Amino acid sequence: MKKTVFGTTKEGREVYLYTLENQNGVKAEVTDYGAVLVNLIVPDKNGVLEDVTLGYDNLEAYYTNGSFFGATIAPNANRIANASFTIDGTVYHLDANDGVNNLHSHFELGTHKRVWDAEPGENSIRFTVVLKDGEMGFPGNKTCSITYTLTDDNALRLDYHASTDKKTVLNLTNHAYFNLAGHDGGLITDHVLWLHASHYTPVVEGAIPTGEIAPVAGTPLDFTKEKRIGDEIEADFEQLKLVSGYDHNFVIDDWKGELQLVAKVSEHTSGRTMEVYTDLPGIQFYAGNCIAETVGKGGAVYKKRDGFCLETDYFPNAVNEGRFPSAVYGPEKDYTSTTIYKFV
């Protein structure tokens, strides 16, 4: 474990960068500002180490971070329709920051722009943030944490935990953008993707699910067999047009709340392959369709589709859709989940 100063907040609080390194030279660098994954350095087929996550070199750039590069999102990731939900007859109103909907809890007050408490371990670090009842519109005094662990088999493990004293929505995720050719590798359309998902949740305008769980068979959203991300991303298909490409929740096959392999991505030139494991029911595949041109690490200019996300979570708008697995937790039941990004 290595700890260095990453910067100082506007309020004068020091922010740190923590480096986890395994016996193979793989490094994961995370900061207590937003519990952000800043760098993930892994070998290619020739053993050359490169950073495969999009992000920034300095703290100040994360003050904006409009694409949520590497951010840990709590209490709710993804979208909630009409920026509101009802639990036990009480209506709760959120920030309408994505048209009439809510996206990732709050753009300015969200956990991706807060300093989390850090507890370093030998090969791991735990970040914790406390959210008061009513903050960002969500009920309950909540304590949320994420533990990053780097293993010697080149896996970055993310263990989430959250508790609350009132029924509330708890649906945490990490919003890392990957490019297996290197963070400055350009378009990700040549990456090859497989998903353990024969169904997805179709959306209407605003990217809110209809409530239907539909088969991917016969559509451009079928990744049940390995396929280049770019093969059908511009297809004449209404679901792609609604969100300018891939930005859909996929329904994990055989979901039983147990850790399983749910996705695999490969990039031919580098020879890197990343496997994704989770115990959650859904995975949001986002092809970076709306990355606004921005200067990232090392002066790299990130543009549309220069990174992809595989965000493990409950389905978007699950709190308002009774047909989806519930993301409502309360005092009698804590939220726990695990996601693993493994490089093979």
Side-chain angles (χ1 to χ4, degrees):
M1 172 67 67
K2 180 182 174 184
K3 176 182 176 182
T4 56
V5 175
F6 192 51
T8 305
T9 67
K10 299 172 185 177
E11 297 74 29
R13 181 172 175 178
E14 281 197 332
V15 169
Y16 297 94
L17 189 69
Y18 299 84
T19 302
L20 303 170
E21 184 172 3
N22 72 8
Q23 64 183 7
N24 307 314
V26 172
K27 291 182 182 179
E29 295 190 307
V30 292
T31 176
D32 46 8
Y33 185 82
V36 166
L37 175 63
V38 177
N39 303 306
L40 185 56
I41 299 167
V42 300
D44 69 3
K45 61 187 177 184
N46 298 315
V48 177
L49 294 164
E50 287 182 288
D51 187 358
V52 295
T53 58
L54 278 61
Y56 302 106
D57 288 324
N58 58 78
L59 173 64
E60 290 74 20
Y62 286 102
Y63 292 162
T64 303
N65 196 13
S67 293
F68 292 83
F69 291 145
T72 299
I73 311 296
N76 184 72
N78 221 310
R79 291 173 172 86
I80 292 179
N82 297 312
S84 65
F85 60 90
T86 302
I87 295 178
D88 292 342
T90 301
V91 180
Y92 299 95
H93 296 281
L94 311 176
D95 186 41
N97 58 11
D98 188 45
V100 300
N101 305 314
N102 176 265
L103 175 62
H104 298 327
S105 299
H106 203 289
F107 288 172
E108 296 305 321
L109 304 178
T111 56
H112 66 299
K113 293 187 178 179
R114 302 192 188 200
V115 181
W116 298 46
D117 293 328
E119 301 173 62
E122 279 192 26
N123 66 334
S124 65
I125 184 161
R126 184 174 188 244
F127 295 119
T128 303
V129 67
V130 175
L131 303 172
K132 295 178 181 178
D133 184 18
E135 278 196 79
M136 297 181 279
F138 293 89
N141 293 294
K142 300 167 287 295
T143 301
C144 304
S145 69
I146 178 174
T147 302
Y148 288 97
T149 304
L150 183 63
T151 68
D152 282 332
D153 61 350
N154 296 351
L156 182 64
R157 179 181 175 117
L158 284 59
D159 289 294
Y160 300 90
H161 181 270
S163 60
T164 176
D165 62 2
K166 287 184 182 178
K167 281 188 179 180
T168 194
V169 179
L170 292 172
N171 183 24
L172 286 64
T173 200
N174 184 274
H175 210 297
Y177 287 72
F178 297 97
N179 188 322
L180 301 186
H183 77 96
D184 54 356
L187 289 172
I188 49 82
T189 45
D190 280 339
H191 286 54
V192 175
L193 173 65
W194 167 85
L195 293 172
H196 185 50
S198 57
H199 291 76
Y200 76 107
T201 52
V203 297
V204 295
E205 189 173 353
I208 297 296
T210 64
E212 180 187 7
I213 294 177
V216 299
T219 79
L221 283 84
D222 190 350
F223 287 93
T224 56
K225 294 182 180 178
E226 290 187 342
K227 180 176 68 179
R228 283 178 67 255
I229 291 172
D231 278 353
E232 296 183 283
I233 200 168
E234 300 288 353
D236 185 13
F237 185 64
E238 183 64 17
Q239 284 294 307
L240 295 179
K241 292 178 180 179
L242 283 167
V243 289
S244 303
Y246 295 113
D247 189 7
H248 295 81
N249 169 69
F250 288 80
V251 178
I252 303 303
D253 290 343
D254 310 316
W255 177 66
K256 298 176 182 176
E258 300 171 356
L259 201 63
Q260 63 172 323
L261 176 65
V262 298
K264 185 167 68 172
V265 192
S266 301
E267 198 279 319
H268 175 73
T269 303
S270 68
R272 293 187 180 94
T273 293
M274 183 179 77
E275 297 177 341
V276 184
Y277 299 78
T278 191
D279 52 11
L280 290 169
I283 186 165
Q284 185 86 9
F285 167 45
Y286 173 47
N289 314 305
C290 298
I291 297 175
E293 185 170 319
T294 184
V295 178
K297 291 179 285 191
V301 178
Y302 304 141
K303 300 178 182 178
K304 176 181 177 179
R305 295 182 184 154
D306 280 355
F308 67 88
C309 303
L310 288 167
E311 307 156 63
T312 57
D313 55 10
Y314 284 94
F315 304 169
N317 199 39
V319 67
N320 290 320
E321 182 50 71
R323 288 173 285 185
F324 292 169
S326 177
V328 174
Y329 287 80
E332 74 290 345
K333 183 183 179 184
D334 288 357
Y335 170 96
T336 60
S337 73
T338 297
T339 294
I340 297 172
Y341 298 105
K342 183 177 181 181
F343 294 85
V344 296

